[in-house]
PDB file of all heavy atoms in Angstrom:
ATOM      1  N   GLN A1482      -3.252 -11.604  -4.253  1.00 95.00           N
ATOM      2  CA  GLN A1482      -4.190 -10.532  -4.442  1.00 95.00           C
ATOM      3  C   GLN A1482      -3.743  -9.341  -3.501  1.00 95.00           C
ATOM      4  O   GLN A1482      -3.188  -9.562  -2.453  1.00 95.00           O
ATOM      5  CB  GLN A1482      -5.565 -10.939  -4.057  1.00 95.00           C
ATOM      6  CG  GLN A1482      -6.167 -11.947  -5.100  1.00 95.00           C
ATOM      7  CD  GLN A1482      -7.557 -12.396  -4.773  1.00 95.00           C
ATOM      8  OE1 GLN A1482      -7.916 -12.447  -3.609  1.00 95.00           O
ATOM      9  NE2 GLN A1482      -8.360 -12.610  -5.852  1.00 95.00           N
ATOM     10  N   LEU A1483      -3.993  -8.085  -3.924  1.00 97.00           N
ATOM     11  CA  LEU A1483      -3.572  -6.937  -3.182  1.00 97.00           C
ATOM     12  C   LEU A1483      -4.764  -6.105  -2.813  1.00 97.00           C
ATOM     13  O   LEU A1483      -5.718  -5.900  -3.604  1.00 97.00           O
ATOM     14  CB  LEU A1483      -2.652  -6.112  -4.009  1.00 97.00           C
ATOM     15  CG  LEU A1483      -1.426  -6.756  -4.636  1.00 97.00           C
ATOM     16  CD1 LEU A1483      -0.641  -5.819  -5.564  1.00 97.00           C
ATOM     17  CD2 LEU A1483      -0.476  -7.252  -3.504  1.00 97.00           C
ATOM     18  N   VAL A1484      -4.804  -5.593  -1.586  1.00 97.00           N
ATOM     19  CA  VAL A1484      -5.853  -4.714  -1.117  1.00 97.00           C
ATOM     20  C   VAL A1484      -5.282  -3.467  -0.463  1.00 97.00           C
ATOM     21  O   VAL A1484      -4.552  -3.564   0.500  1.00 97.00           O
ATOM     22  CB  VAL A1484      -6.781  -5.399  -0.105  1.00 97.00           C
ATOM     23  CG1 VAL A1484      -7.914  -4.496   0.397  1.00 97.00           C
ATOM     24  CG2 VAL A1484      -7.370  -6.702  -0.727  1.00 97.00           C
ATOM     25  N   GLU A1485      -5.609  -2.292  -1.002  1.00 97.00           N
ATOM     26  CA  GLU A1485      -5.132  -1.016  -0.440  1.00 97.00           C
ATOM     27  C   GLU A1485      -6.045  -0.540   0.655  1.00 97.00           C
ATOM     28  O   GLU A1485      -7.240  -0.781   0.666  1.00 97.00           O
ATOM     29  CB  GLU A1485      -5.098   0.029  -1.567  1.00 97.00           C
ATOM     30  CG  GLU A1485      -4.180  -0.346  -2.710  1.00 97.00           C
ATOM     31  CD  GLU A1485      -4.979  -1.014  -3.843  1.00 97.00           C
ATOM     32  OE1 GLU A1485      -6.083  -1.573  -3.612  1.00 97.00           O
ATOM     33  OE2 GLU A1485      -4.551  -0.915  -5.040  1.00 97.00           O
ATOM     34  N   SER A1486      -5.461   0.279   1.523  1.00 97.00           N
ATOM     35  CA  SER A1486      -6.174   0.902   2.608  1.00 97.00           C
ATOM     36  C   SER A1486      -5.444   2.199   3.034  1.00 97.00           C
ATOM     37  O   SER A1486      -4.249   2.314   2.725  1.00 97.00           O
ATOM     38  CB  SER A1486      -6.493   0.061   3.756  1.00 97.00           C
ATOM     39  OG  SER A1486      -5.284  -0.358   4.385  1.00 97.00           O
ATOM     40  N   GLY A1487      -6.160   3.122   3.753  1.00 98.00           N
ATOM     41  CA  GLY A1487      -5.478   4.250   4.329  1.00 98.00           C
ATOM     42  C   GLY A1487      -5.765   5.572   3.659  1.00 98.00           C
ATOM     43  O   GLY A1487      -5.305   6.599   4.089  1.00 98.00           O
ATOM     44  N   GLY A1488      -6.495   5.522   2.518  1.00 98.00           N
ATOM     45  CA  GLY A1488      -6.786   6.754   1.828  1.00 98.00           C
ATOM     46  C   GLY A1488      -7.800   7.577   2.492  1.00 98.00           C
ATOM     47  O   GLY A1488      -8.409   7.089   3.586  1.00 98.00           O
ATOM     48  N   GLY A1489      -8.006   8.814   2.093  1.00 98.00           N
ATOM     49  CA  GLY A1489      -8.972   9.680   2.701  1.00 98.00           C
ATOM     50  C   GLY A1489      -8.745  11.117   2.282  1.00 98.00           C
ATOM     51  O   GLY A1489      -8.037  11.390   1.374  1.00 98.00           O
ATOM     52  N   LEU A1490      -9.408  12.045   3.099  1.00 98.00           N
ATOM     53  CA  LEU A1490      -9.247  13.408   2.846  1.00 98.00           C
ATOM     54  C   LEU A1490      -8.282  14.037   3.746  1.00 98.00           C
ATOM     55  O   LEU A1490      -8.261  13.785   4.998  1.00 98.00           O
ATOM     56  CB  LEU A1490     -10.669  14.084   3.051  1.00 98.00           C
ATOM     57  CG  LEU A1490     -10.691  15.634   3.000  1.00 98.00           C
ATOM     58  CD1 LEU A1490     -10.371  16.079   1.544  1.00 98.00           C
ATOM     59  CD2 LEU A1490     -12.137  16.048   3.364  1.00 98.00           C
ATOM     60  N   VAL A1491      -7.369  14.816   3.214  1.00 98.00           N
ATOM     61  CA  VAL A1491      -6.342  15.456   4.045  1.00 98.00           C
ATOM     62  C   VAL A1491      -6.109  16.859   3.483  1.00 98.00           C
ATOM     63  O   VAL A1491      -6.266  17.137   2.315  1.00 98.00           O
ATOM     64  CB  VAL A1491      -5.000  14.613   4.031  1.00 98.00           C
ATOM     65  CG1 VAL A1491      -4.452  14.535   2.605  1.00 98.00           C
ATOM     66  CG2 VAL A1491      -4.029  15.184   5.012  1.00 98.00           C
ATOM     67  N   GLN A1492      -5.663  17.754   4.390  1.00 98.00           N
ATOM     68  CA  GLN A1492      -5.352  19.116   4.037  1.00 98.00           C
ATOM     69  C   GLN A1492      -3.958  19.217   3.321  1.00 98.00           C
ATOM     70  O   GLN A1492      -3.125  18.372   3.601  1.00 98.00           O
ATOM     71  CB  GLN A1492      -5.423  20.050   5.244  1.00 98.00           C
ATOM     72  CG  GLN A1492      -6.800  20.195   5.834  1.00 98.00           C
ATOM     73  CD  GLN A1492      -6.800  21.136   7.002  1.00 98.00           C
ATOM     74  OE1 GLN A1492      -5.835  21.537   7.565  1.00 98.00           O
ATOM     75  NE2 GLN A1492      -8.033  21.527   7.414  1.00 98.00           N
ATOM     76  N   PRO A1493      -3.788  20.224   2.483  1.00 98.00           N
ATOM     77  CA  PRO A1493      -2.461  20.383   1.924  1.00 98.00           C
ATOM     78  C   PRO A1493      -1.417  20.573   3.060  1.00 98.00           C
ATOM     79  O   PRO A1493      -1.653  21.210   4.055  1.00 98.00           O
ATOM     80  CB  PRO A1493      -2.612  21.732   1.188  1.00 98.00           C
ATOM     81  CG  PRO A1493      -4.032  21.764   0.755  1.00 98.00           C
ATOM     82  CD  PRO A1493      -4.760  21.252   1.953  1.00 98.00           C
ATOM     83  N   GLY A1494      -0.317  19.862   2.880  1.00 98.00           N
ATOM     84  CA  GLY A1494       0.754  19.890   3.917  1.00 98.00           C
ATOM     85  C   GLY A1494       0.630  18.735   4.871  1.00 98.00           C
ATOM     86  O   GLY A1494       1.537  18.493   5.704  1.00 98.00           O
ATOM     87  N   GLY A1495      -0.512  18.039   4.829  1.00 98.00           N
ATOM     88  CA  GLY A1495      -0.682  16.977   5.718  1.00 98.00           C
ATOM     89  C   GLY A1495      -0.088  15.638   5.274  1.00 98.00           C
ATOM     90  O   GLY A1495       0.646  15.613   4.239  1.00 98.00           O
ATOM     91  N   SER A1496      -0.352  14.545   6.002  1.00 98.00           N
ATOM     92  CA  SER A1496       0.260  13.303   5.763  1.00 98.00           C
ATOM     93  C   SER A1496      -0.787  12.182   5.780  1.00 98.00           C
ATOM     94  O   SER A1496      -1.800  12.274   6.434  1.00 98.00           O
ATOM     95  CB  SER A1496       1.298  12.971   6.802  1.00 98.00           C
ATOM     96  OG  SER A1496       2.359  13.852   6.798  1.00 98.00           O
ATOM     97  N   LEU A1497      -0.508  11.087   4.942  1.00 98.00           N
ATOM     98  CA  LEU A1497      -1.254   9.870   5.015  1.00 98.00           C
ATOM     99  C   LEU A1497      -0.295   8.750   4.813  1.00 98.00           C
ATOM    100  O   LEU A1497       0.723   8.855   4.210  1.00 98.00           O
ATOM    101  CB  LEU A1497      -2.303   9.876   3.828  1.00 98.00           C
ATOM    102  CG  LEU A1497      -3.576  10.609   3.998  1.00 98.00           C
ATOM    103  CD1 LEU A1497      -4.409  10.543   2.763  1.00 98.00           C
ATOM    104  CD2 LEU A1497      -4.381  10.127   5.229  1.00 98.00           C
ATOM    105  N   ARG A1498      -0.752   7.614   5.336  1.00 98.00           N
ATOM    106  CA  ARG A1498       0.081   6.367   5.191  1.00 98.00           C
ATOM    107  C   ARG A1498      -0.842   5.334   4.593  1.00 98.00           C
ATOM    108  O   ARG A1498      -1.868   4.933   5.144  1.00 98.00           O
ATOM    109  CB  ARG A1498       0.570   5.831   6.514  1.00 98.00           C
ATOM    110  CG  ARG A1498       1.452   4.649   6.396  1.00 98.00           C
ATOM    111  CD  ARG A1498       1.563   3.898   7.713  1.00 98.00           C
ATOM    112  NE  ARG A1498       2.630   2.956   7.744  1.00 98.00           N
ATOM    113  CZ  ARG A1498       2.539   1.815   8.609  1.00 98.00           C
ATOM    114  NH1 ARG A1498       1.572   1.619   9.410  1.00 98.00           N
ATOM    115  NH2 ARG A1498       3.597   0.942   8.540  1.00 98.00           N
ATOM    116  N   LEU A1499      -0.486   4.974   3.327  1.00 98.00           N
ATOM    117  CA  LEU A1499      -1.253   3.885   2.655  1.00 98.00           C
ATOM    118  C   LEU A1499      -0.657   2.548   2.894  1.00 98.00           C
ATOM    119  O   LEU A1499       0.582   2.374   2.978  1.00 98.00           O
ATOM    120  CB  LEU A1499      -1.313   4.150   1.163  1.00 98.00           C
ATOM    121  CG  LEU A1499      -1.829   5.502   0.627  1.00 98.00           C
ATOM    122  CD1 LEU A1499      -1.749   5.561  -0.891  1.00 98.00           C
ATOM    123  CD2 LEU A1499      -3.122   5.799   1.246  1.00 98.00           C
ATOM    124  N   SER A1500      -1.528   1.580   2.975  1.00 98.00           N
ATOM    125  CA  SER A1500      -1.054   0.192   3.128  1.00 98.00           C
ATOM    126  C   SER A1500      -1.612  -0.706   2.064  1.00 98.00           C
ATOM    127  O   SER A1500      -2.653  -0.436   1.511  1.00 98.00           O
ATOM    128  CB  SER A1500      -1.487  -0.403   4.475  1.00 98.00           C
ATOM    129  OG  SER A1500      -0.964   0.301   5.587  1.00 98.00           O
ATOM    130  N   CYS A1501      -0.822  -1.668   1.685  1.00 98.00           N
ATOM    131  CA  CYS A1501      -1.183  -2.655   0.712  1.00 98.00           C
ATOM    132  C   CYS A1501      -0.988  -4.036   1.230  1.00 98.00           C
ATOM    133  O   CYS A1501       0.145  -4.428   1.405  1.00 98.00           O
ATOM    134  CB  CYS A1501      -0.400  -2.437  -0.621  1.00 98.00           C
ATOM    135  SG  CYS A1501      -0.680  -3.737  -1.887  1.00 98.00           S
ATOM    136  N   ALA A1502      -2.085  -4.680   1.572  1.00 97.00           N
ATOM    137  CA  ALA A1502      -1.958  -6.040   2.155  1.00 97.00           C
ATOM    138  C   ALA A1502      -2.078  -7.092   1.082  1.00 97.00           C
ATOM    139  O   ALA A1502      -3.017  -7.096   0.252  1.00 97.00           O
ATOM    140  CB  ALA A1502      -3.075  -6.266   3.183  1.00 97.00           C
ATOM    141  N   ALA A1503      -1.134  -7.983   1.061  1.00 97.00           N
ATOM    142  CA  ALA A1503      -1.144  -9.139   0.050  1.00 97.00           C
ATOM    143  C   ALA A1503      -1.691 -10.385   0.685  1.00 97.00           C
ATOM    144  O   ALA A1503      -1.541 -10.631   1.850  1.00 97.00           O
ATOM    145  CB  ALA A1503       0.302  -9.346  -0.410  1.00 97.00           C
ATOM    146  N   SER A1504      -2.390 -11.160  -0.146  1.00 96.00           N
ATOM    147  CA  SER A1504      -3.053 -12.304   0.372  1.00 96.00           C
ATOM    148  C   SER A1504      -2.136 -13.528   0.535  1.00 96.00           C
ATOM    149  O   SER A1504      -2.482 -14.526   1.131  1.00 96.00           O
ATOM    150  CB  SER A1504      -4.172 -12.771  -0.627  1.00 96.00           C
ATOM    151  OG  SER A1504      -3.638 -13.122  -1.915  1.00 96.00           O
ATOM    152  N   GLY A1505      -0.884 -13.351   0.100  1.00 94.00           N
ATOM    153  CA  GLY A1505       0.073 -14.421   0.226  1.00 94.00           C
ATOM    154  C   GLY A1505       1.489 -13.830   0.385  1.00 94.00           C
ATOM    155  O   GLY A1505       1.660 -12.625   0.414  1.00 94.00           O
ATOM    156  N   SER A1506       2.422 -14.706   0.402  1.00 94.00           N
ATOM    157  CA  SER A1506       3.845 -14.283   0.561  1.00 94.00           C
ATOM    158  C   SER A1506       4.325 -13.381  -0.535  1.00 94.00           C
ATOM    159  O   SER A1506       4.025 -13.607  -1.683  1.00 94.00           O
ATOM    160  CB  SER A1506       4.714 -15.499   0.641  1.00 94.00           C
ATOM    161  OG  SER A1506       6.110 -15.057   0.715  1.00 94.00           O
ATOM    162  N   ILE A1507       5.016 -12.247  -0.141  1.00 94.00           N
ATOM    163  CA  ILE A1507       5.628 -11.425  -1.167  1.00 94.00           C
ATOM    164  C   ILE A1507       7.100 -11.670  -1.267  1.00 94.00           C
ATOM    165  O   ILE A1507       7.806 -10.900  -2.050  1.00 94.00           O
ATOM    166  CB  ILE A1507       5.311  -9.886  -0.853  1.00 94.00           C
ATOM    167  CG1 ILE A1507       5.886  -9.520   0.499  1.00 94.00           C
ATOM    168  CG2 ILE A1507       3.772  -9.630  -0.888  1.00 94.00           C
ATOM    169  CD1 ILE A1507       5.730  -7.961   0.703  1.00 94.00           C
ATOM    170  N   PHE A1508       7.600 -12.614  -0.662  1.00 93.00           N
ATOM    171  CA  PHE A1508       9.050 -12.947  -0.767  1.00 93.00           C
ATOM    172  C   PHE A1508       9.414 -13.376  -2.214  1.00 93.00           C
ATOM    173  O   PHE A1508      10.577 -13.244  -2.666  1.00 93.00           O
ATOM    174  CB  PHE A1508       9.427 -14.031   0.195  1.00 93.00           C
ATOM    175  CG  PHE A1508       9.684 -13.596   1.603  1.00 93.00           C
ATOM    176  CD1 PHE A1508       8.739 -13.825   2.567  1.00 93.00           C
ATOM    177  CD2 PHE A1508      10.839 -12.990   1.902  1.00 93.00           C
ATOM    178  CE1 PHE A1508       8.974 -13.406   3.896  1.00 93.00           C
ATOM    179  CE2 PHE A1508      11.110 -12.575   3.211  1.00 93.00           C
ATOM    180  CZ  PHE A1508      10.168 -12.787   4.227  1.00 93.00           C
ATOM    181  N   SER A1509       8.419 -13.784  -2.934  1.00 90.00           N
ATOM    182  CA  SER A1509       8.622 -14.264  -4.251  1.00 90.00           C
ATOM    183  C   SER A1509       8.379 -13.229  -5.266  1.00 90.00           C
ATOM    184  O   SER A1509       8.535 -13.424  -6.552  1.00 90.00           O
ATOM    185  CB  SER A1509       7.707 -15.510  -4.610  1.00 90.00           C
ATOM    186  OG  SER A1509       6.362 -15.101  -4.530  1.00 90.00           O
ATOM    187  N   ILE A1510       7.981 -11.983  -4.844  1.00 94.00           N
ATOM    188  CA  ILE A1510       7.763 -10.885  -5.710  1.00 94.00           C
ATOM    189  C   ILE A1510       8.850  -9.888  -5.688  1.00 94.00           C
ATOM    190  O   ILE A1510       9.150  -9.255  -4.710  1.00 94.00           O
ATOM    191  CB  ILE A1510       6.382 -10.129  -5.308  1.00 94.00           C
ATOM    192  CG1 ILE A1510       5.219 -11.114  -5.355  1.00 94.00           C
ATOM    193  CG2 ILE A1510       6.183  -8.988  -6.241  1.00 94.00           C
ATOM    194  CD1 ILE A1510       3.911 -10.582  -4.847  1.00 94.00           C
ATOM    195  N   ASN A1511       9.552  -9.775  -6.812  1.00 94.00           N
ATOM    196  CA  ASN A1511      10.714  -8.875  -6.863  1.00 94.00           C
ATOM    197  C   ASN A1511      10.303  -7.405  -6.831  1.00 94.00           C
ATOM    198  O   ASN A1511      10.917  -6.601  -6.128  1.00 94.00           O
ATOM    199  CB  ASN A1511      11.555  -9.177  -8.071  1.00 94.00           C
ATOM    200  CG  ASN A1511      12.869  -8.364  -8.120  1.00 94.00           C
ATOM    201  OD1 ASN A1511      13.456  -8.175  -7.068  1.00 94.00           O
ATOM    202  ND2 ASN A1511      13.319  -7.996  -9.336  1.00 94.00           N
ATOM    203  N   ILE A1512       9.366  -7.016  -7.705  1.00 95.00           N
ATOM    204  CA  ILE A1512       9.045  -5.644  -7.878  1.00 95.00           C
ATOM    205  C   ILE A1512       7.589  -5.339  -7.360  1.00 95.00           C
ATOM    206  O   ILE A1512       6.630  -5.994  -7.812  1.00 95.00           O
ATOM    207  CB  ILE A1512       9.142  -5.218  -9.373  1.00 95.00           C
ATOM    208  CG1 ILE A1512      10.468  -5.542  -9.985  1.00 95.00           C
ATOM    209  CG2 ILE A1512       8.837  -3.725  -9.528  1.00 95.00           C
ATOM    210  CD1 ILE A1512      10.547  -5.387 -11.418  1.00 95.00           C
ATOM    211  N   MET A1513       7.474  -4.441  -6.472  1.00 96.00           N
ATOM    212  CA  MET A1513       6.178  -3.928  -6.020  1.00 96.00           C
ATOM    213  C   MET A1513       6.218  -2.396  -6.113  1.00 96.00           C
ATOM    214  O   MET A1513       7.272  -1.793  -6.024  1.00 96.00           O
ATOM    215  CB  MET A1513       5.869  -4.314  -4.600  1.00 96.00           C
ATOM    216  CG  MET A1513       5.849  -5.820  -4.396  1.00 96.00           C
ATOM    217  SD  MET A1513       5.336  -6.309  -2.723  1.00 96.00           S
ATOM    218  CE  MET A1513       3.517  -5.895  -2.801  1.00 96.00           C
ATOM    219  N   GLY A1514       5.047  -1.831  -6.260  1.00 98.00           N
ATOM    220  CA  GLY A1514       4.983  -0.378  -6.403  1.00 98.00           C
ATOM    221  C   GLY A1514       3.638   0.214  -6.198  1.00 98.00           C
ATOM    222  O   GLY A1514       2.631  -0.431  -6.096  1.00 98.00           O
ATOM    223  N   TRP A1515       3.608   1.569  -6.131  1.00 98.00           N
ATOM    224  CA  TRP A1515       2.462   2.377  -6.058  1.00 98.00           C
ATOM    225  C   TRP A1515       2.299   3.171  -7.298  1.00 98.00           C
ATOM    226  O   TRP A1515       3.235   3.824  -7.739  1.00 98.00           O
ATOM    227  CB  TRP A1515       2.456   3.259  -4.817  1.00 98.00           C
ATOM    228  CG  TRP A1515       2.368   2.559  -3.506  1.00 98.00           C
ATOM    229  CD1 TRP A1515       3.343   2.103  -2.698  1.00 98.00           C
ATOM    230  CD2 TRP A1515       1.079   2.195  -2.826  1.00 98.00           C
ATOM    231  NE1 TRP A1515       2.816   1.486  -1.554  1.00 98.00           N
ATOM    232  CE2 TRP A1515       1.487   1.545  -1.636  1.00 98.00           C
ATOM    233  CE3 TRP A1515      -0.280   2.431  -3.171  1.00 98.00           C
ATOM    234  CZ2 TRP A1515       0.512   1.072  -0.723  1.00 98.00           C
ATOM    235  CZ3 TRP A1515      -1.160   1.947  -2.251  1.00 98.00           C
ATOM    236  CH2 TRP A1515      -0.832   1.299  -1.082  1.00 98.00           C
TER     237      TRP A1515
END
């Protein structure tokens, strides 16, 4: 299972860092994406 975090309100030109936490190992997952 995947859970995203890090979203919010930001001004143009600004930055954000999104995170996606997996409930288990992702070594077995070849393709991940946003």
